Amino acid sequence: MRPVLIRLEDITRTYHVGEVDVDALCGITYQVLQGDFLGIMGPSGSGKSTLMNIIGCLDRPTNGSYFLSNEEVSKFSKRQLAITRNKRIGFVFQSFNLLSRTTALENVELPLLYADIPTKEARELAYKSLELVGLKDRELRKTNQISGGEMQRVAIARALVTNPTLIMADEPTGNLDTKTSIEIMGIFASLNKEKGITVILVTHEADIAAYANRVIHIRDGVIEREDIKRDIRKISKGEVS
Ligand code: ADP
Ligand code: MG
């Protein structure tokens, strides 16, 4: 049995906007095992990004507990959250979030330089990470000279370079064409299968969610249902109505 990586217990998150309270999450209880590939689906405004921010240690719940590897991170200070985030979690975004007119290599080195890793070591790790995502020999291309698919590869290499336990991706193929999306999803799938990295990915496309081994559907801040892979395959083959 694989160990539990993430344990969410009755998580809520209320945003205060002027006089108004917005209940973005209304009681999320869920576990993610180490090595899972979790898809999160749901309509716009359902709370997906709010949940990703909490799991990614960018935000804390209003109520409820969040344990990451048995540590209660929902009680952490902002500083402790930042340390946990930098050490253990890699992020990939729909809009890539790369530094403009900067080389692939420099983008990937950056998290290591922030973490005070010596320059030479940072460079070696960045080269390795870029090779893993299929960008060997393209390390010195600048971000304004590469395609969207290559930009997302750079972003994945940057997420990977700190050797995280968990990679979180919010609509990572949202700006990519179908063929490129399949290539990018292949990278996530192989990081999950071959390196055992836990992946959590938000998408609203069923084709993309099909790469996950389990999918939760969120609506109005609660988990509406969960699919496990066996069921998804059957549904896509039309065997389950
Ligand atoms: P999704 O990612 O599924 O589109 P979000 O988590 O972004 O949903 O938003 C969930 C709800 O919380 C929405 O009603 C949204 O308007 C609200 N919300 C999200 N972020 C904030 C914020 N920073 N301040 C106020 N309300 C917010
Ligand atoms: Mg969102």
Side-chain angles (χ1 to χ4, degrees):
M1 187 69 184
R2 286 177 283 139
V4 175
L5 178 65
I6 289 166
R7 188 150 54 89
L8 304 168
E9 286 177 0
D10 209 13
I11 296 284
T12 66
R13 177 68 169 97
T14 302
Y15 295 106
H16 303 286
V17 187
E19 306 270 283
V20 183
D21 284 351
V22 180
D23 294 318
L25 297 176
C26 309
I28 301 272
T29 297
Y30 196 69
Q31 282 193 358
V32 180
L33 301 181
Q34 218 160 310
D36 266 340
F37 191 144
L38 174 70
I40 300 179
M41 299 190 79
S44 177
S46 57
K48 302 181 299 294
S49 294
T50 301
L51 182 61
M52 291 291 272
N53 289 344
I54 289 172
I55 296 175
C57 297
L58 292 157
D59 187 21
R60 279 176 296 199
T62 305
N63 275 302
S65 304
Y66 167 23
F67 297 87
L68 179 64
S69 302
N70 294 319
E71 279 190 294
E72 190 170 1
V73 292
S74 42
K75 291 221 170 101
F76 278 13
S77 66
K78 283 194 174 159
R79 193 182 126 76
Q80 284 175 302
L81 281 181
I83 293 169
T84 303
R85 196 164 65 225
N86 297 343
K87 277 205 174 143
R88 312 203 44 196
I89 307 174
F91 295 90
V92 178
F93 304 93
Q94 175 172 357
S95 51
F96 320 127
N97 294 13
L98 301 177
L99 296 178
S100 56
R101 295 183 295 278
T102 306
T103 65
L105 189 65
E106 286 166 316
N107 272 276
V108 176
E109 276 174 352
L110 203 59
L112 297 174
L113 300 178
Y114 280 142
D116 288 330
I117 306 281
T119 319
K120 187 163 172 278
E121 192 184 340
R123 182 136 298 191
E124 277 167 19
L125 290 169
Y127 270 109
K128 271 192 200 147
S129 198
L130 283 161
E131 188 174 353
L132 265 178
V133 299
L135 288 178
K136 191 169 165 49
D137 302 326
R138 269 175 262 177
E139 297 92 348
L140 299 180
R141 295 266 195 96
K142 293 199 172 165
T143 46
N144 53 323
Q145 300 165 338
I146 61 179
S147 67
E150 286 170 327
M151 284 200 243
Q152 200 56 304
R153 284 173 195 260
V154 174
I156 296 172
R158 181 184 57 188
L160 266 181
V161 77
T162 52
N163 195 24
T165 332
L166 172 64
I167 289 197
M168 308 203 59
D170 201 341
E171 303 256 9
T173 60
N175 287 345
L176 304 175
D177 61 60
T178 307
K179 180 173 167 283
T180 311
S181 298
I182 291 170
E183 289 168 10
I184 293 297
M185 289 312 297
I187 297 175
F188 284 115
S190 94
L191 293 174
N192 175 249
K193 274 214 184 72
E194 276 137 47
K195 301 214 156 263
I197 297 175
T198 308
V199 178
I200 302 183
L201 181 146
V202 169
T203 181
H204 53 249
E205 291 169 74
D207 291 4
I208 300 297
Y211 285 84
N213 69 315
R214 51 179 68 206
V215 179
I216 52 175
H217 297 259
I218 298 193
R219 184 178 289 273
D220 299 330
V222 296
I223 298 178
E224 195 180 37
R225 68 172 212 276
E226 178 189 28
D227 297 331
I228 61 164
K229 182 143 192 178
R230 192 162 41 91
D231 296 338
I232 294 167
R233 278 195 184 146
K234 281 189 183 164
I235 290 165
S236 66
K237 285 183 191 160
E239 291 168 15
V240 172
S241 59

